[in-house]
Amino acid sequence: MSQHNTEHPISAVISGVGLWNPENTLTNVELVQVLNAYADQFNETHAADIEAGKVEPVAKSDPDFIEKASGIRQRYVYRKDGILDVDRMRPRIPKRRDDELSHQAEMGLNAARKALAAAGIEGSDLDAVIVSCSYTERAYPAIAIELQSALGCEGFGFDMLVACSAATFAQHRAYDMIRSGSAQRVLVVNPELTSPQVNYRDRDSHFIFGDVATAVVIERGDLAQSAHQYEILGTRAKTVFSNAIRSNFGYVSRTQDVDPFDPDALFHQEGRTVFKEVCPMAAAHITGHLEAHDLTPADVTRWWLHQANINMNQLITKKLLGRPADGDEAPIVLDRYANTASAGSIIAFSLYHEDLQSGDYGVICSFGAGYSIGSLVIRKR
Ligand code: CO8
């Protein structure tokens, strides 16, 4: 439920945001080429079994379908090497020694430095670091504690996983921590390293995800000094269990002798079901959250929505506004970044917030696996 209370003596503000993307891009055409080459190879090798109905053929993909169905043209990937090799079809991410920075800490650090610079503070000014994303590359020590150490922060850190809503749910935690007085400055970091979990042999999902890292600084209002500050008026979180989006690979998998290419182990979803079930949930959630602040969708200048699929975003904003939203109102970053799990709405916020005027309202909202929906209603100071 909403935590909002306008009379609360302590305000929490977003005072800095950082976005980092890897150098490597992967286009739809490149992904389709490798999948279709794999399909030819597999279907030829298994022709007799396919003919006898014992084996399903591998279905081919199509770049035009991808763009039309999702709005995605390209994505960034942390390591491109290996993905386009038909005999591998997964990235090659070298193992690092324990005394080297882990991959996700490195991604997170790149975004964190930008967020700290935007807020005009140092790592040593932070009280807490939360790393929140869809997967962490190990169970412990927490990536957040590694990042805390790299940033020279003396407080505490922890990791949390809530798939697509990881970023908003962690911002929710930061807001609560600041308002309760347990922290004054919190860094929330989202190193979304999705590519290791993508099934690049599956045409239904091979195009969906990209890698990126985002970070935000959330500070007590009276401490914030940055040029662009957004008071968090309230946060709202909702979860409803669903099997329509799943990723089953985990630490127990080795005891079950799971093949790392088993489609059930990797990201998979019932895309249509997700679309149908999540869009109305997200629209109702946002409307309810705005109502709790005596606001309506017409009062909102900017919508920084989760970036899973352009058709989903268009449908949700149409339900909210009663008309199609224009690109300025509800920016789309899917064409360049694809679905970056929890980072999507924060990428949009990072790229499209500086033009807002003092007093303008905005909504950050995520929706996805779980199901999970997280929102923040914010106002520019
Ligand atoms: N090329 C050509 N044809 C294709 C392809 C392709 N690549 N893919 C599917 N088709 C075919 C299908 O087989 C189908 O054929 P037929 O009609 O003969 O059965 C036809 O095209 C239509 O397929 P769909 O009905 O599946 O196509 P849609 O128009 O529904 O589009 C989408 C598919 C884009 C997946 C759409 O359903 C969608 O976007 N749904 C929303 C769900 C969504 O975005 N989920 C993302 C959630 S992710 C999340 O929450 C984060 C999890 C954590 C991160 C994980 C990181 C790995």
Side-chain angles (χ1 to χ4, degrees):
M1 288 305 292
S2 174
Q3 312 291 303
H4 99 279
N5 172 2
T6 46
E7 300 306 316
H8 197 284
I10 301 176
S11 65
V13 305
I14 299 175
S15 58
V17 57
L19 162 64
W20 174 83
N21 55 260
E23 283 172 10
N24 316 303
T25 56
L26 201 53
T27 64
N28 292 347
V29 170
E30 287 176 300
L31 277 182
V32 168
Q33 269 168 356
V34 68
L35 192 155
N36 289 355
Y38 171 73
D40 284 339
Q41 209 179 65
F42 181 94
N43 296 343
E44 206 178 299
T45 312
H46 297 87
D49 284 342
I50 291 169
E51 180 81 12
K54 291 186 202 155
V55 171
E56 282 289 314
V58 173
K60 289 193 174 183
S61 188
D62 170 8
D64 292 336
F65 169 89
I66 295 171
E67 192 171 338
K68 192 163 161 286
S70 69
I72 297 167
R73 289 199 193 136
Q74 64 158 44
R75 71 284 297 136
Y76 292 97
V77 282
Y78 182 63
R79 293 288 184 270
K80 190 167 177 174
D81 180 32
I83 297 176
L84 298 178
D85 173 354
V86 71
D87 296 321
R88 183 172 173 89
M89 297 183 77
R90 62 193 195 280
R92 203 172 266 112
I93 300 179
K95 190 166 163 25
R96 288 191 172 169
R97 295 189 315 271
D98 287 358
D99 62 353
E100 290 179 296
L101 203 60
S102 67
H103 294 286
Q104 275 181 303
E106 180 184 303
M107 292 174 72
L109 191 58
N110 291 330
R113 286 196 174 120
K114 294 185 180 185
L116 291 170
I121 62 169
E122 306 284 332
S124 56
D125 296 320
L126 296 167
D127 299 312
V129 176
I130 308 176
V131 164
S132 66
C133 45
S134 301
Y135 307 91
T136 49
E137 67 182 272
R138 60 166 188 260
Y140 45 83
I143 307 292
I145 302 177
E146 188 184 2
L147 198 48
Q148 175 201 346
S149 164
L151 289 167
C153 156
E154 293 206 341
F156 61 95
F158 59 89
D159 293 350
M160 54 183 276
L161 307 180
V162 201
C164 289
S165 289
T168 55
F169 275 42
Q171 290 170 6
H172 190 151
R173 294 279 71 74
Y175 168 82
D176 286 348
M177 283 155 62
I178 287 167
R179 303 238 306 181
S180 73
S182 64
Q184 298 188 346
R185 291 188 170 110
V186 183
L187 178 73
V188 176
V189 189
N190 323 107
E192 288 290 8
L193 182 57
T194 63
S195 53
Q197 254 287 314
V198 175
N199 184 353
Y200 289 106
R201 294 174 171 177
D202 169 36
R203 78 161 173 178
D204 289 339
S205 61
H206 74 131
F207 57 88
I208 297 180
F209 294 100
D211 298 331
V212 81
T214 51
V216 298
V217 174
I218 300 184
E219 293 186 81
R220 217 175 66 186
D222 59 328
L223 301 177
Q225 300 290 334
S226 64
H228 299 281
Q229 298 177 19
Y230 300 85
E231 181 171 356
I232 302 173
L233 302 180
T235 60
R236 186 172 275 205
K238 174 83 181 162
T239 51
V240 178
F241 184 69
S242 165
N243 279 319
I245 311 170
R246 279 194 79 112
S247 165
N248 289 323
F249 201 81
Y251 81 101
V252 180
S253 299
R254 66 186 284 268
T255 69
Q256 300 161 342
D257 305 319
V258 170
D259 172 356
F261 277 104
D262 180 350
D264 184 61
L266 302 172
F267 168 88
H268 56 285
Q269 69 168 348
E270 293 158 34
R272 288 260 152 187
T273 306
V274 174
F275 198 107
K276 269 194 249 144
E277 293 180 347
V278 169
C279 290
M281 273 173 70
H285 176 99
I286 293 170
T287 307
H289 193 180
L290 287 169
E291 272 169 17
H293 295 280
D294 299 323
L295 296 170
T296 70
D299 297 315
V300 175
T301 303
R302 182 119 335 134
W303 305 88
W304 300 283
L305 297 184
H306 181 56
Q307 308 277 321
N309 175 294
I310 193 169
N311 302 312
M312 269 179 117
N313 287 32
Q314 286 173 348
L315 183 61
I316 290 168
T317 43
K318 198 167 172 208
K319 276 179 190 286
L320 288 165
L321 296 167
R323 60 169 172 80
D326 65 38
D328 265 7
E329 282 176 298
I332 298 287
V333 303
L334 277 160
D335 49 344
R336 288 160 282 167
Y337 291 89
N339 180 341
T340 51
S342 79
S345 58
I346 313 304
I347 299 174
F349 176 71
S350 169
L351 296 174
Y352 303 102
H353 71 90
E354 292 188 356
D355 59 318
L356 259 58
Q357 304 297 307
S358 175
D360 283 350
Y361 292 100
V363 170
I364 299 175
C365 185
S366 64
F367 35 86
Y371 296 131
S372 59
I373 304 183
S375 56
L376 290 88
V377 177
I378 61 179
R379 182 176 54 208
K380 188 151 190 181
R381 288 176 116 195

